[in-house]
């Protein structure tokens, strides 16, 4: 039985992050998304205090067993924030989730600004390395790439040349044809660096004021939408960057940045370009 795109990540009840942005965005792009929630959080983990966390790994196993009976096949699988037990479930059921034809996008959400997110440890990094090996496209930020490579973590900005070398090491270690290093701080600009079949490219946008949560989720979701609509990876990444740039500019001020950008205002732009 054929389905289109599977999204597997957490559902944060407050804050425009993870599944609450991926699902409506990919649905608006007419990609018929299905979902495999990994956990239910009262809020995302950035700045709202002690959020609640309900692990859904046991239910995930039951869901995947049902899907196996249905012989579901997905054109693409998009993995984001997982959690330790859900990650183990994903690894145990890879044969249900992917075939050689499945586009397998892994956004290894677990760290930023030189440190792991609350609730993650180095054992999670070890398990994530196994998942990244399976990716068609991986989209780590700088900290996540350094953790996965077991390299020293940096909190200060990295020069573009150094970040590019880091990405090449990352893609080489995990035998990836395509990888994108996201959210590179270049002072007055933000860059993403791409690696495709041994070649690298760089895209930049002016850096806007603020540090909004969920922009990485928006980037990965818009990137997947572009690729699934037939765009080359670099063109899809460029569209995703412009979409986020427009969304931040259109977000009313003042706004509590914990709630993320008002991306719906920029959605017409994205859909027109798709």
């Amino acid at each position: 039985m054929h389905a289109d795109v599977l999204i597997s990540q957490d559902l944060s009840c407050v804050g425009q992050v993870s599944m609450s942005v991926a699902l409506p965005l990919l649905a608006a792009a007419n990609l018929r998304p299905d979902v495999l929630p990994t956990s239910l959080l009262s809020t995302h983990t950035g700045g709202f205090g002690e959020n609640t966390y309900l692990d859904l790994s046991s239910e995930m196993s039951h869901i995947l067993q049902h899907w196996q009976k249905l012989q579901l096949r997905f054109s693409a699988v998009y993995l984001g924030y997982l959690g330790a037990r859900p990650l183990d479930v994903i690894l145990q059921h890879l044969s249900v989730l992917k075939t050689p034809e499945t586009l397998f996008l892994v956004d290894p959400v677990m760290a930023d600004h030189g440190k792991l997110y609350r609730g993650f440890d180095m054992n999670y990094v070890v398990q994530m390395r196994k998942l990244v090996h399976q990716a068609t496209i991986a989209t780590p930020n700088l900290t996540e790439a350094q953790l996965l490579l077991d390299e020293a973590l940096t909190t200060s900005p990295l020069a573009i040349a150094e970040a590019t070398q880091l990405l090449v090491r990352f893609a080489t270690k995990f035998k990836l044809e395509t990888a994108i290093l996201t959210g590179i701080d270049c002072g007055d600009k933000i860059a993403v660096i791409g690696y495709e079949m041994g070649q690298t490219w760089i895209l930049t946008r002016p850096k806007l004021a603020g540090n909004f949560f969920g922009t990485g989720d928006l980037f990965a979701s818009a990137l997947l939408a572009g690729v699934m609509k037939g765009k080359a990876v670099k063109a899809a990444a460029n569209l995703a960057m412009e979409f986020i740039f427009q969304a931040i500019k259109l977000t009313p001020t003042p706004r509590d940045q914990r709630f993320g950008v008002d991306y719906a205002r920029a959605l017409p732009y994205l859909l027109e370009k798709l």
Side-chain angles (χ1 to χ4, degrees):
M1 186 183 298
H2 181 76
D4 270 357
V5 176
L6 175 66
I7 308 164
S8 188
Q9 47 193 245
D10 76 284
L11 178 57
S12 291
C13 297
V14 170
Q16 297 289 290
V17 302
S18 300
M19 195 173 289
S20 60
V21 301
L23 178 57
L25 192 155
L26 292 171
N30 198 30
L31 291 173
R32 293 193 301 153
D34 302 300
V35 298
L36 181 63
T38 60
S39 55
L40 181 66
L41 286 72
S42 56
T43 68
H44 65 71
T45 60
F48 285 110
E50 293 297 321
N51 60 281
T52 67
Y53 177 89
L54 177 64
D55 183 283
L56 298 177
S57 55
S58 294
E59 193 61 28
M60 286 173 65
S61 295
H62 298 319
I63 291 168
L64 286 162
Q65 287 164 14
H66 183 209
W67 288 355
Q68 192 166 18
K69 293 176 183 175
L70 294 174
Q71 296 185 318
L72 278 180
R73 291 292 179 264
F74 301 100
S75 300
V77 173
Y78 166 26
L79 304 176
Y81 184 106
L82 298 176
R85 290 177 184 164
L87 173 52
D88 288 342
V89 171
I90 295 289
L91 288 170
Q92 290 163 15
H93 292 85
L94 282 174
S95 62
V96 180
L97 293 172
K98 69 188 291 269
T99 69
E101 293 75 38
T102 305
L103 192 160
F104 207 63
L105 173 60
V106 178
D107 186 11
V109 181
M110 59 182 177
D112 203 0
H113 304 300
K115 61 181 181 180
L116 285 161
Y117 293 146
R118 181 159 46 89
F120 293 121
D121 57 20
M122 286 308 296
N123 184 60
Y124 188 80
V125 177
V126 171
Q127 293 296 89
M128 181 58 74
R129 288 175 186 144
K130 299 176 185 177
L131 191 60
V132 171
H133 267 296
Q134 302 293 325
T136 310
I137 304 173
T139 59
N141 62 30
L142 175 63
T143 301
E144 289 157 354
Q146 289 173 330
L147 282 164
L148 290 163
L149 284 168
D150 198 20
E151 295 186 1
L153 301 180
T154 55
T155 53
S156 56
L158 209 60
I160 284 290
E162 292 178 277
T164 302
Q165 291 167 4
L166 176 79
L167 177 62
V168 172
R169 292 196 300 275
F170 175 80
T172 302
K173 175 182 175 68
F174 292 101
K175 298 180 173 60
L176 299 172
E177 290 187 359
T178 307
I180 299 175
L181 195 60
T182 65
I184 305 298
D185 189 340
C186 302
D188 61 343
K189 294 181 179 180
I190 293 291
V192 302
I193 307 173
Y195 172 98
E196 293 185 77
M197 302 287 287
Q199 302 297 313
T200 60
W201 43 260
I202 300 165
L203 299 169
T204 64
R205 286 295 185 282
K207 187 177 180 180
L208 299 173
N211 181 31
F212 291 96
F213 288 90
T215 52
D217 301 320
L218 284 171
F219 176 84
S221 301
L223 172 75
L224 178 59
V227 172
M228 292 297 290
K229 290 293 185 177
K231 292 186 179 295
V233 172
K234 183 179 179 180
N238 190 54
L239 176 58
M241 286 191 77
E242 184 63 25
F243 166 59
I244 294 168
F245 181 71
Q246 295 294 334
I248 293 173
K249 285 204 304 182
L250 291 170
T251 296
T253 55
R255 179 180 174 91
D256 187 333
Q257 295 177 10
R258 294 176 301 176
F259 290 95
V261 298
D262 192 356
Y263 74 92
R265 293 171 181 260
L267 202 52
Y269 166 82
L270 176 67
L271 298 180
E272 178 188 351
K273 298 299 182 180
L274 286 175

